[in-house]
Amino acid sequence: MMLLIAYATTDGQTRKIARFAADRLAGQGHAVELLCVEDAEGLDLSRFDGAILAGSLHAGGYQKALVRFVTGARPALAAMPTLFLAVSLSAAGGDPEDWTGLRDCLKAFEDQTGWTPGRTEHVAGAFRFSEYDFFRAWAMRWIAGRKGQAVEPGRDREYTDWAALALVLDGWTAGIRGGAASAG
């Protein structure tokens, strides 16, 4: 199968997740095109059998470049099996209020773009202190403290469950091959 993996990233964790997905699927014999949505202008989506999109949630919304890409590609995305990897720190925990917020943000994204993914998986992100400026590092330490998370300034902390993500990818591609994956 020919698969597109298109992502938007703010601090680099979503790019790392997209690369993991590309490596995993290419290792299974799929042809994979990995690209940042900012480089996807004019991309012919009709040559793909399915698409994985990945974006990270920051301050209640996904990246503007992801919103633009999805809005423009909506008809083509609706005609193929899709998987949306919604990356956030909130997905690392079990707080019901956080999960309600994640669902609300996803609904807002769907309303904004007019696109409903065939499947969505919330993927835990990371604290990427190596990428933050002083003020962002301070804000992220404050957020971590509110959630009872111990973080060391200047030291990244990853929450992504790579084994679980591998199972999601394997299941999604198996569904495409079996004809069970829905377009969307």
Side-chain angles (χ1 to χ4, degrees):
M1 277 188 293
M2 179 65 173
L3 301 172
L4 170 67
I5 301 176
Y7 68 91
T9 193
T10 300
D11 299 312
Q13 188 67 14
T14 304
R15 177 178 46 249
K16 187 174 180 180
I17 289 166
R19 284 183 181 158
F20 174 87
D23 290 345
R24 176 104 185 157
L25 298 176
Q28 294 174 349
H30 301 290
V32 177
E33 185 166 335
L34 172 68
L35 71 142
C36 179
V37 293
E38 293 174 355
D39 300 325
E41 185 176 337
L43 181 67
D44 178 10
L45 294 178
S46 68
R47 61 190 178 91
F48 297 100
D49 299 307
I52 297 173
L53 277 68
S56 52
L57 192 58
H58 295 274
Y62 294 94
Q63 290 89 350
K64 290 178 184 176
L66 180 65
V67 170
R68 279 191 304 274
F69 174 76
V70 168
T71 301
R74 180 180 59 235
L77 292 171
M80 69 176 69
T82 55
L83 170 63
F84 181 47
L85 301 176
V87 180
S88 69
L89 283 167
S90 293
D95 183 328
E97 188 175 306
D98 285 348
W99 281 94
T100 297
L102 289 175
R103 286 187 292 274
D104 291 346
C105 290
L106 178 62
K107 177 71 170 116
F109 175 73
E110 290 172 351
D111 290 346
Q112 185 178 16
T113 62
W115 175 65
T116 301
R119 178 175 174 182
T120 297
E121 288 293 329
H122 291 280
V123 179
F127 285 111
R128 302 280 299 230
F129 288 101
S130 61
E131 302 294 324
Y132 303 155
D133 63 21
F134 173 80
F135 296 106
R136 182 110 186 266
W138 179 85
M140 297 307 275
R141 281 194 311 274
W142 181 78
I143 290 168
R146 284 189 53 224
K147 295 294 180 183
Q149 296 291 320
V151 294
E152 295 179 40
R155 190 159 185 209
D156 294 349
R157 181 156 182 204
E158 191 171 80
Y159 295 93
T160 305
D161 184 337
W162 300 106
L165 180 57
L167 290 174
V168 165
L169 296 166
D170 294 350
W172 182 74
T173 55
I176 294 173
R177 283 192 306 269
S182 63

